């Protein structure tokens, strides 16, 4: 690219021919001399060059057969109109020194356009040659910096060196999560009061820490999360329970999901009975106890014949015992029969993706797919008392069940629940 002053806007390119031998000073002198006074004082070449509006005149000549041929380049910082007038004035020069000559303007180059073109071409070259293809995008750079900051903020707390955020000691409220990745993900979104326990074996230091803090157990939305909650409830002082969405881990959540899960945390008193409820065991009727009770009834001594007035009272008491005791045994047998029926339903739907609607004796009234269960519950007529299905127990299903007076809901596993209706008994397959 032609070298020029930083203020140059245009470059006048002209060609010159002369019928004789001439040199550069002759050409420059002719340009200044023959244009003097031609264009007025505002466009006098000498004044323009002194003020820097016209640059150094470049002349290149070659001699051949006694004649001179060459080019003239004049840089200009004038506007378009003034530059064109100056270019036209050059063509009025018809004699240089003793020789007849001719100057013809070839073109007026916009230097800025040339610079822009050169910049584009050079930028392409730099992009290809100078940049390594492995240079990360700005988002990747930002993520790398954030990850570095999160790693630096991560600390290790207690004698077990549990991964934790930097505010675990200073904060009045803490989050207990499962693993190191969970803590790092929470740090990513500015949550610095989380601590990881590393599994279902809760360290003793966590139990001690929970006594002085408001503690929220924030667990994954899977079976492992349930087991951790159960263990925490046994050994630590937990105030709230929050769960990730079904099938997701805390380390996978984005900011919106984390905020939603923590807003929907449930006071532990509402769900303690669910998580700590022992697995129901089969109750067998003790045949020896039943026979003993029956014998006690049949061996009740009769009153003396001399006291007929009192004969009715002992006989009535004996009859009451004879009725009451067998009826209690009968109730136990009925309860056991219904429980066995419910277990059979669970065994039959487990792994099938099927839902069954049951009556009060846990007999099947209707069978449908899990996907149709919510709509099926909405259409109930009041005879259905229980639902057993091979799927996740969600808050929506429990709300529908409560409005339809369904007494028992049994699913494969428990989802993220905000509130368990008081009139609905909730169980998973493992607890039936």
């Amino acid at each position: 690219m032609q070298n020029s002053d930083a203020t140059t806007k245009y470059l006048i390119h002209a060609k010159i021919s002369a019928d004789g031998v001439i040199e550069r000073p002759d050409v420059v002198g002719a340009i200044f001399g023959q244009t003097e006074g031609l264009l007025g004082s505002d466009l006098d070449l000498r004044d323009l060059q002194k003020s820097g509006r016209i640059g150094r005149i470049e002349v290149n000549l070659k001699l051949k057969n006694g004649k001179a041929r060459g080019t003239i380049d004049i840089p200009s910082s004038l506007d378009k109109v003034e530059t064109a007038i100056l270019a036209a004035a050059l063509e009025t020069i018809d004699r240089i020194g003793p020789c007849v000559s001719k100057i013809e303007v070839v073109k007026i180059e916009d230097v800025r356009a040339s610079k822009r073109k050169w910049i584009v071409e050079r930028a392409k070259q730099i992009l290809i040659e100078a940049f390594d293809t492995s240079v990360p995008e700005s988002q990747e750079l930002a993520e790398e910096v954030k990850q570095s900051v999160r790693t630096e903020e991560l600390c290790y707390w207690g004698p077990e060196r549990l991964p934790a955020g930097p505010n675990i000691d200073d904060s009045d409220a803490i989050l207990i999560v499962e693993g190191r990745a969970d803590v790092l993900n929470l740090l990513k979104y500015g949550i610095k009061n989380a601590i990881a326990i590393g599994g279902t074996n809760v360290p003793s230091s966590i139990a001690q820490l929970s006594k002085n803090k408001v503690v929220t157990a924030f667990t994954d939305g899977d079976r492992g999360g349930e087991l951790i909650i159960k263990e925490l409830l046994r050994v630590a002082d937990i105030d709230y329970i929050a769960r990730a969405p079904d099938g997701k881990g805390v380390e996978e959540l984005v900011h919106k999901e984390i905020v939603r899960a923590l807003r929907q945390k449930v006071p532990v008193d509402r769900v303690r009975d669910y998580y700590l409820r022992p697995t129901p065991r089969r109750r067998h009727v003790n045949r020896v106890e039943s026979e003993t009770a029956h014998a006690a009834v049949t061996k009740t001594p009769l009153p003396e014949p001399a006291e007929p007035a009192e004969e009715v009272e002992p006989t009535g008491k004996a009859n009451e015992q004879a009725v009451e005791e067998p009826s209690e045994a009968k109730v136990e047998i009925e309860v056991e029969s219904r429980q066995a029926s419910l277990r059979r339903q669970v065994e039959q739907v487990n792994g099938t993706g099927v839902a069954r609607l049951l009556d009060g004796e846990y007999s099947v009234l209707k069978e449908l797919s899990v996907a149709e269960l919510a709509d099926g519950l909405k259409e109930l007529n009041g005879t259905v008392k229980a639902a057993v299905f091979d799927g996740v127990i969600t808050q929506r299903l429990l709300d529908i069940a409560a409005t339809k007076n369904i007494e028992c809901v049994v699913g494969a596993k428990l989802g993220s629940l905000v509130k368990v209706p008081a009139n609905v008994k909730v169980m998973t397959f493992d607890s039936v």
Side-chain angles (χ1 to χ4, degrees), residues 304-316:
E304 296 294 330
E307 299 177 2
E310 296 180 4
E311 183 176 351
V312 177
E313 184 177 350
T315 304

Side-chain angles (χ1 to χ4, degrees), residues 15 145 169 211-212 214 276 297 405 422:
K15 60 182 181 179
V145 172
D169 287 318
K211 295 179 181 179
N212 305 316
V214 177
L276 296 184
V297 173
N405 296 321

Side-chain angles (χ1 to χ4, degrees), residues 362-383:
Y362 294 156
S363 298
V364 180
L365 293 175
K366 186 177 181 180
E367 184 172 297
L368 62 166
S369 69
V370 172
E372 301 169 332
L373 180 58
D375 293 334
L377 292 177
K378 291 179 181 179
E379 298 172 358
L380 296 181
N381 55 12
T383 58

Side-chain angles (χ1 to χ4, degrees), residues 4-222:
S4 60
D5 188 82
T7 61
T8 299
K9 297 179 181 179
Y10 304 101
L11 192 62
I12 302 172
H13 296 282
K15 60 182 181 179
I16 181 173
S17 61
D19 295 335
V21 177
I22 58 175
E23 295 181 349
R24 178 184 179 281
D26 299 326
V27 176
V28 173
I31 292 174
F32 280 107
Q34 295 183 40
T35 59
E36 185 175 4
L38 181 64
L39 303 177
S41 59
D42 291 339
L43 291 178
D44 182 76
L45 281 179
R46 294 186 188 278
D47 294 337
L48 291 175
Q49 195 170 53
K50 287 179 182 178
S51 63
R53 302 181 71 187
I54 291 294
R56 185 175 184 273
I57 300 175
E58 296 287 344
V59 179
N60 295 299
L61 295 173
K62 291 183 180 179
L63 296 177
K64 186 177 181 181
N65 299 326
K67 295 183 178 182
R69 301 285 188 274
T71 60
I72 301 172
D73 296 323
I74 303 177
S76 168
S77 61
L78 303 171
D79 61 25
K80 286 183 179 180
V81 175
E82 292 172 332
T83 301
I85 292 173
L86 181 60
L90 293 177
E91 294 188 347
T92 64
I93 299 172
D94 56 2
R95 180 174 291 275
I96 298 176
C99 303
V100 176
S101 63
K102 182 181 179 181
I103 296 177
E104 180 184 356
V105 175
V106 178
K107 68 174 181 177
I108 298 178
E109 178 186 356
D110 187 335
V111 175
R112 294 167 299 180
S114 299
K115 285 182 178 180
R116 285 193 290 268
K117 183 178 180 180
W118 181 86
I119 288 171
V120 171
E121 295 301 322
R122 180 57 182 156
K124 291 179 181 178
Q125 186 179 5
I126 292 173
L127 185 62
I128 295 172
E129 298 176 357
F131 282 94
D132 190 338
T133 56
S134 64
V135 172
E137 297 293 337
S138 59
Q139 185 175 0
E140 294 174 350
L141 286 171
E143 184 59 33
E144 184 178 345
V145 172
K146 288 179 181 177
Q147 180 64 33
S148 175
V149 172
R150 292 200 302 270
T151 304
E152 289 179 1
E153 287 184 330
L154 183 72
C155 60
Y156 294 91
W157 183 89
E160 298 89 356
R161 292 186 57 76
L162 303 174
N167 295 350
I168 199 67
D169 287 318
D170 299 332
S171 179
D172 294 331
I174 64 172
L175 300 177
I176 294 180
V177 295
E178 182 176 349
R180 181 176 183 272
D182 300 341
V183 176
L184 285 174
N185 192 42
L186 294 176
L187 283 173
K188 175 181 178 181
Y189 298 110
I191 300 174
K192 302 181 180 182
N193 60 337
I195 186 168
I197 58 176
T200 55
N201 186 18
V202 180
S204 58
S205 57
I206 288 292
Q208 186 62 34
L209 178 66
S210 66
K211 295 179 181 179
N212 305 316
K213 307 281 187 180
V214 177
V215 180
T216 299
F218 190 15
T219 64
D220 298 344
D222 56 14

